[in-house]
Amino acid sequence: MGQLAFAHSIFLFSSRLHKLPIRFTSPRFSLPSFSIRAMTSHSHIVGYPRIGPKRELKFALESFWEGKSKAEDLKQVGADIRTSIWKQMAEVGIKFIPSNTFSYYDHVLDTTAMLGAVPPRYGWNGGEVGFDIYFSMARGNDSVPAMEMTKWFDTNYHYIVPELGPDIKFSYASHKAVEEYKEAKALGIDTVPVLIGPLSYILLSKAAKDVDKSFSLLSLIEKIVPVYKEVVAELKAAGATWIQFDEPSLVMDLDTLQLQTFTKAYSELESSFSGLNVLIETYFADVPIQTYKALTSLKSVAGFGFDLVRGTRTLNLLKSGFPPDKYLFAGVVDGRNVWANDLAASLCILQVLEGIVGKENVVVSTSCSLLHSAVDLVNETKLDKEIKSWLAFAAQKVVEVNALAKALVGQKDQAFFASNATSHASRRSSPRVKNESVQKAVAALKDSDHRRATSVSARLAAQQKKLNLPILPTTTIGSFPQTPELRKLRHVYKAKKINEYDYVNAMKEEIKKIIKLQEEIGIDVLVHGEPERNDMVEYFGEQLSGFAFSVNGWVQSYGSRCVKPPIIYGDVSRLRAMTVFTSSTAQSMTRRPMKGMLTGPVTILNWSFLRNDQERHETCYQIALAIKDEVEDLERAGISIIQIDEAALREGLPLRKSEQPFYLEWAVQSFRITNCGVKDTTQIHTHMCYSNFNDIINAIINMDADVITIENSRSDEKLLSVFQEGVKYEAGIGPGVYDIHSPRVPSTEEIADRINKMLAVLDCKVLWVNPDCGLKTRKYSEVESALRNMVAAAKLIRTKLATGN
């Protein structure tokens, strides 16, 4: 009976998601505007995935970008997704349903459009920001590059970085928040419009190019507040009774001026809040004590949202004092993982909170937006039954929030709670979770720092003697375009519609084609192109113990790019060699060096849904030992260059400075474990992308890789400023010379100019020439032209260096 009740409750929320796109022509029900005081249960969702349960938004976007569909078609898919989500939340019983959390690309870019903060190079002449300008900012166009993209706090989501200068003129240029509120209201659903708060928007921005160094972004707060006032006034006029301001920057270590700016912004907004309930939402960590005091002292704010999952000190903060007659939005359901909530434990926390703030003032919520979780477990037909019973995706988390809210007011669903308890007991007792030999191997690691025996300069000399590479060697990051034909081939093989012999031969032909192209272009160090890989993490997880995989567990990374994180449920070990056959086969097809391509332990960890019953570093060490086995097998197979990608190392850095040293210690050590046993003549590469690396440059040096390739061009080459400031880097380094996340093809002259800028701060003996990142998402027509220009630029600079010009 318990399992049936559990399944029925989940079904209520997810029964229509998989049928998108759906066109709803009239509302099925009407909900009046409500006051929280009259509620029998208080429930809230911070935000929800926008991609659709089967990536409907992704396919609609790509069809539109390719000219196969019209803007109206794209807008209809967006409307269908929004309608389905709102109706289902209302049907489940959620009281505070968010709107304006949907986005066609990125919610920070939406705010840039709302504020009219369009950089001049996009030729915007005022008025409503439309798709042409919006997507040019996100992706670039034939004449101008895209805006910078970087990681959203410590997640794998990427946002488009606003570019602001002292002369910018803000204006209300996108009415999306109001339009979506009205759209929901027309369905009979009163929603809570969500806006990125003014402080977080400013702190997530960067100064525009060529702006005087004395310029402070914080000085712009007075200019953007009037636009926020216009938005708030229009929302109020449309009937909104609650507005949510997301201020995740409040969990950071803010200085006095930043805190003063926050208080000033909301003091100036206070007059526009009259007649409204305002919620300020924080997430991803606990709020520092001084920030907590400044936040909770705001008189015009009705409620405050806190993360009680990652905010490990939040409960103690609340016990220290919470303002009377304010609402606490308690984020007890994890928005960043896929494990079923421990309902009994969460209910205990909520009951403690009731004692602090009063029963009527507690609102049950998610810890953050569910954007970071997979969409719906109902769509998973191939997951192991036992493991599936341990999980909850976004749709199921909505049901959990509502169940907790009802239990808090005496309406506990006993069968639902009993089913949940059974699932947790099953997970705790399952023999597939623990592996004693793996745990012993990790325990034995503590006696070494796992450094290679010789210095990087000595190793590079030995490697150059073996490899004989030219000055400014050219390479790519790893992946080549994944064509529809290639994806189809993998799909039919997985479906067992072709045999292994035919599949392997087809892959060999694809690799041969990729190698031939690189040789013809003139690239010095080759890659096999990774045609056999679905994803740089999933591919390895499928060959390691302790991992499970979903079919539709997609999560948005940026724009139309979605990833399907593996689920780490148990101890990790390597079952067999994973890449040796492919790498050695590729090396046999060319005389040029062929990189063996691996994903590093920290990236596998950070790009997976982690087990929450074990410390992160313990799991990371387990993965590191598995990758170490693979590295040593590749070396034995004759692979002289092995790249161990750590694209997500910076991403996992804790948001609070006090917690960062420990993370960097074990993350760097995990990388060193993977390659500490190789010979000096084996060259170890790593790759990092789309984060701010300047503040962890010493940790990067401490990784002791022989060569690092690192994203640089899309971030306006700010990485180079580290070396301008005198940081000494003796290993090989390849700052990216062009942005691969834009369809734009850079000219030879543009790339040569970038190389010259690098040579102004880096020795030509250590500089490599490569793109920002892998080429998986691009078309061959774009890749071939860009790589030809890249190689031509490298040769041009080599000639100039040789002649002294």
Side-chain angles (χ1 to χ4, degrees):
M1 181 61 185
Q3 292 288 350
L4 286 174
F6 179 80
H8 179 67
S9 298
I10 297 300
F11 178 78
L12 281 177
F13 186 71
S14 47
S15 59
R16 285 196 304 272
L17 269 172
H18 67 285
K19 298 177 183 177
L20 285 170
I22 301 171
R23 181 169 302 187
F24 294 93
T25 56
S26 61
R28 289 180 53 197
F29 47 79
S30 176
L31 292 178
S33 296
F34 47 79
S35 163
I36 187 170
R37 296 293 183 190
M39 292 182 193
T40 55
S41 63
H42 313 330
S43 53
H44 167 252
I45 305 297
V46 176
Y48 199 81
R50 58 186 65 135
I51 58 172
K54 293 189 177 177
R55 296 179 292 164
E56 289 81 1
L57 182 61
K58 168 191 173 65
F59 300 123
L61 281 167
E62 291 173 358
S63 175
F64 174 68
W65 292 336
E66 292 169 9
K68 295 178 181 177
S69 60
K70 297 178 181 179
E72 292 73 19
D73 301 319
L74 175 57
K75 290 177 181 178
Q76 185 61 56
V77 171
D80 290 340
I81 291 171
R82 292 190 297 270
T83 297
S84 181
I85 292 167
W86 290 330
K87 285 194 169 187
Q88 290 154 39
M89 284 195 195
E91 191 170 291
V92 166
I94 300 299
K95 300 302 182 183
F96 290 102
I97 299 171
S99 61
N100 198 41
T101 58
F102 174 85
S103 177
Y104 286 104
Y105 202 95
D106 165 50
H107 54 283
V108 181
L109 184 62
D110 292 347
T111 309
T112 294
M114 182 186 82
L115 296 170
V118 180
R121 66 179 178 273
Y122 296 105
W124 179 63
N125 296 315
E128 194 82 1
V129 173
F131 277 167
D132 285 351
I133 297 295
Y134 181 84
F135 288 128
S136 290
M137 289 192 287
R139 306 177 72 238
N141 57 42
D142 290 340
S143 57
V144 292
M147 295 169 69
E148 181 184 347
M149 181 171 72
T150 196
K151 296 292 176 69
W152 173 250
F153 295 88
D154 59 347
T155 75
N156 187 30
Y157 178 80
H158 302 67
Y159 75 94
I160 303 297
V161 182
E163 302 172 14
L164 308 177
D167 300 324
I168 189 168
K169 292 180 172 59
F170 295 103
S171 63
Y172 188 12
S174 171
H175 294 67
K176 175 180 175 293
V178 178
E179 290 166 358
E180 291 188 11
Y181 174 78
K182 290 179 176 178
E183 186 181 325
K185 193 173 182 182
L187 298 168
I189 302 171
D190 192 16
T191 60
V192 179
V194 178
L195 304 173
I196 291 179
L199 179 72
S200 291
Y201 181 77
I202 289 291
L203 295 182
L204 290 166
S205 303
K206 69 174 184 179
K209 248 183 177 181
D210 303 322
V211 167
D212 190 278
K213 288 186 178 179
S214 63
F215 167 66
S216 170
L217 287 165
L218 293 174
S219 67
L220 296 176
I221 204 77
E222 293 179 353
K223 291 186 175 183
I224 69 169
V225 164
V227 181
Y228 273 93
K229 284 184 175 181
E230 287 187 69
V231 179
V232 170
E234 194 170 330
L235 285 168
K236 185 162 61 172
T241 56
W242 279 82
I243 297 179
Q244 174 178 320
F245 287 88
D246 280 6
E247 290 283 11
S249 291
L250 293 180
V251 305
M252 307 291 282
D253 296 303
L254 301 183
D255 60 33
T256 301
L257 180 58
Q258 290 167 333
L259 268 181
Q260 289 173 346
T261 302
F262 166 73
T263 302
K264 180 181 180 181
Y266 282 90
S267 295
E268 291 184 13
L269 282 167
E270 185 172 358
S271 61
S272 65
F273 291 165
S274 177
L276 281 170
N277 295 298
V278 171
L279 162 64
I280 296 181
E281 184 68 52
T282 69
Y283 39 80
F284 297 150
D286 51 85
V287 176
I289 182 65
Q290 292 305 318
T291 303
Y292 178 79
K293 290 177 180 178
L295 172 62
T296 54
S297 67
L298 294 175
K299 304 299 183 186
S300 59
V301 174
F304 306 101
F306 298 105
D307 184 338
L308 283 123
V309 177
R310 291 188 173 233
T312 54
R313 302 182 186 94
T314 299
L315 190 57
N316 287 334
L317 270 177
L318 295 167
K319 287 178 180 177
S320 70
F322 189 80
D325 299 322
K326 301 289 185 181
Y327 300 110
L328 170 62
F329 287 70
V332 294
V333 173
D334 192 350
R336 290 184 57 174
N337 217 324
V338 292
W339 300 107
N341 183 271
D342 186 337
L343 296 178
S346 292
L347 186 58
C348 287
I349 292 171
L350 291 166
Q351 288 166 340
V352 170
L353 295 175
E354 276 188 335
I356 298 170
V357 305
K359 183 181 285 288
E360 285 295 314
N361 294 338
V362 177
V363 182
V364 182
S365 185
T366 52
S367 65
C368 62
S369 173
L370 297 174
L371 172 71
H372 310 289
S373 177
V375 180
D376 192 351
L377 195 59
V378 165
N379 293 319
E380 299 304 324
T381 56
K382 296 183 179 178
L383 260 176
D384 176 280
K385 185 177 180 181
E386 181 184 31
I387 294 173
K388 187 175 179 178
S389 74
W390 304 341
L391 305 177
F393 289 2
Q396 289 70 45
K397 291 176 185 292
V398 170
V399 175
E400 290 178 337
V401 166
N402 189 62
L404 285 165
K406 291 179 73 175
L408 201 58
V409 294
Q411 299 172 23
K412 184 177 180 181
D413 184 334
Q414 298 291 348
F416 188 77
F417 271 69
S419 176
N420 176 267
T422 299
S423 296
H424 280 275
S426 163
R427 185 178 169 207
R428 284 191 296 268
S429 62
S430 176
R432 47 202 308 196
V433 172
K434 299 288 185 182
N435 183 320
E436 188 176 344
S437 63
V438 171
Q439 300 215 345
K440 284 181 179 178
V442 169
L445 290 173
K446 296 174 183 176
D447 300 328
S448 171
D449 67 358
H450 306 285
R451 283 188 178 275
R452 295 171 76 179
T454 52
S455 68
V456 67
S457 55
R459 298 197 306 265
L460 286 173
Q463 291 156 13
Q464 178 59 14
K465 187 175 180 181
K466 179 179 180 179
L467 297 169
N468 193 29
L469 296 172
I471 199 168
L472 305 180
T474 55
T475 191
T476 64
I477 304 306
S479 61
F480 264 62
Q482 295 258 329
T483 63
E485 295 77 17
L486 195 54
R487 295 177 192 276
K488 183 179 179 181
L489 178 63
R490 288 204 307 268
H491 178 75
V492 296
Y493 174 63
K494 252 188 170 179
K496 299 182 179 179
K497 294 180 181 179
I498 61 171
N499 61 41
E500 184 175 5
Y501 177 83
D502 291 339
Y503 174 74
V504 169
N505 281 337
M507 283 297 167
K508 284 182 180 178
E509 287 303 310
E510 183 71 16
I511 292 169
K512 189 180 296 183
K513 182 183 78 173
I514 293 168
I515 290 172
K516 184 179 179 182
L517 174 63
Q518 293 174 89
E519 289 179 330
E520 193 265 318
I521 290 172
I523 293 173
D524 301 303
V525 174
L526 310 188
V527 297
H528 78 278
E530 305 176 11
E532 78 286 5
R533 302 186 188 183
N534 45 12
D535 175 83
M536 64 183 289
V537 174
E538 184 173 358
Y539 176 78
F540 289 95
E542 287 175 336
Q543 302 179 79
L544 298 169
S545 68
F547 282 78
F549 302 89
S550 63
V551 175
N552 287 297
W554 297 98
V555 178
Q556 185 182 28
S557 180
Y558 60 87
S560 69
R561 169 76 170 146
C562 302
V563 294
K564 190 152 58 68
I567 300 162
I568 304 178
Y569 68 85
D571 289 338
V572 178
S573 62
R574 190 183 72 148
L575 301 174
R576 65 189 71 84
M578 301 179 285
T579 66
V580 175
F581 173 78
T582 305
S583 293
S584 55
T585 299
Q587 183 63 80
S588 72
M589 296 176 180
T590 181
R591 294 184 177 182
R592 301 187 187 196
M594 172 66 61
K595 288 196 283 190
M597 300 299 305
L598 303 175
T599 302
V602 185
T603 296
I604 291 176
L605 181 88
N606 286 335
W607 285 357
S608 298
F609 289 123
L610 299 184
R611 53 191 293 190
N612 56 3
D613 61 341
Q614 178 172 272
E615 294 293 334
R616 280 201 301 167
H617 65 273
E618 294 290 335
T619 304
C620 199
Y621 288 152
Q622 293 177 2
I623 303 169
L625 287 172
I627 300 300
K628 181 177 187 289
D629 290 344
E630 188 71 12
V631 167
E632 292 172 359
D633 278 353
L634 282 169
E635 184 183 56
R636 281 190 286 270
I639 304 301
S640 298
I641 302 179
I642 302 170
Q643 181 168 309
I644 308 166
D645 284 346
E646 285 295 12
L649 186 137
R650 173 62 174 79
E651 174 185 311
L653 189 70
L655 300 176
R656 302 288 285 281
K657 290 178 182 177
S658 61
E659 299 168 8
Q660 292 174 0
F662 178 62
Y663 167 79
L664 290 172
E665 178 186 346
W666 63 255
V668 167
Q669 186 176 28
S670 294
F671 177 81
R672 291 203 306 251
I673 287 168
T674 65
N675 60 86
C676 61
V678 300
K679 302 172 186 174
D680 286 357
T681 51
T682 297
Q683 190 168 86
I684 298 297
H685 288 221
T686 191
H687 169 68
M688 297 181 180
C689 58
Y690 301 104
S691 289
N692 181 10
F693 300 107
N694 296 28
D695 56 347
I696 63 162
I697 191 65
N698 290 326
I700 292 173
I701 293 170
N702 201 27
M703 290 171 71
D704 201 27
D706 297 312
V707 178
I708 179 171
T709 52
I710 194 164
E711 177 269 323
N712 169 70
S713 61
R714 180 149 185 175
S715 58
D716 291 332
E717 299 156 342
K718 65 184 176 185
L719 171 71
L720 301 184
S721 65
V722 171
F723 305 107
Q724 290 168 344
E725 293 164 5
V727 171
K728 189 176 181 183
Y729 195 78
E730 296 180 349
I733 184 167
V737 296
Y738 79 90
D739 174 25
I740 63 88
H741 288 302
S742 170
R744 181 175 170 271
V745 175
S747 66
T748 297
E749 294 72 24
E750 182 181 332
I751 295 175
D753 180 60
R754 281 215 168 94
I755 296 172
N756 279 323
K757 288 179 181 177
M758 296 170 191
L759 288 171
V761 294
L762 292 166
D763 192 322
C764 64
K765 293 178 183 177
V766 300
L767 186 62
W768 284 63
V769 177
N770 46 263
D772 265 354
C773 201
L775 306 172
K776 175 181 179 179
T777 61
R778 299 267 56 91
K779 297 177 181 177
Y780 265 104
S781 57
E782 300 160 352
V783 166
E784 289 187 38
S785 298
L787 291 181
R788 288 184 193 281
N789 292 348
M790 184 186 81
V791 170
K795 289 180 178 178
L796 178 67
I797 303 299
R798 283 177 196 160
T799 301
K800 289 184 178 181
L801 289 172
T803 58
N805 292 331

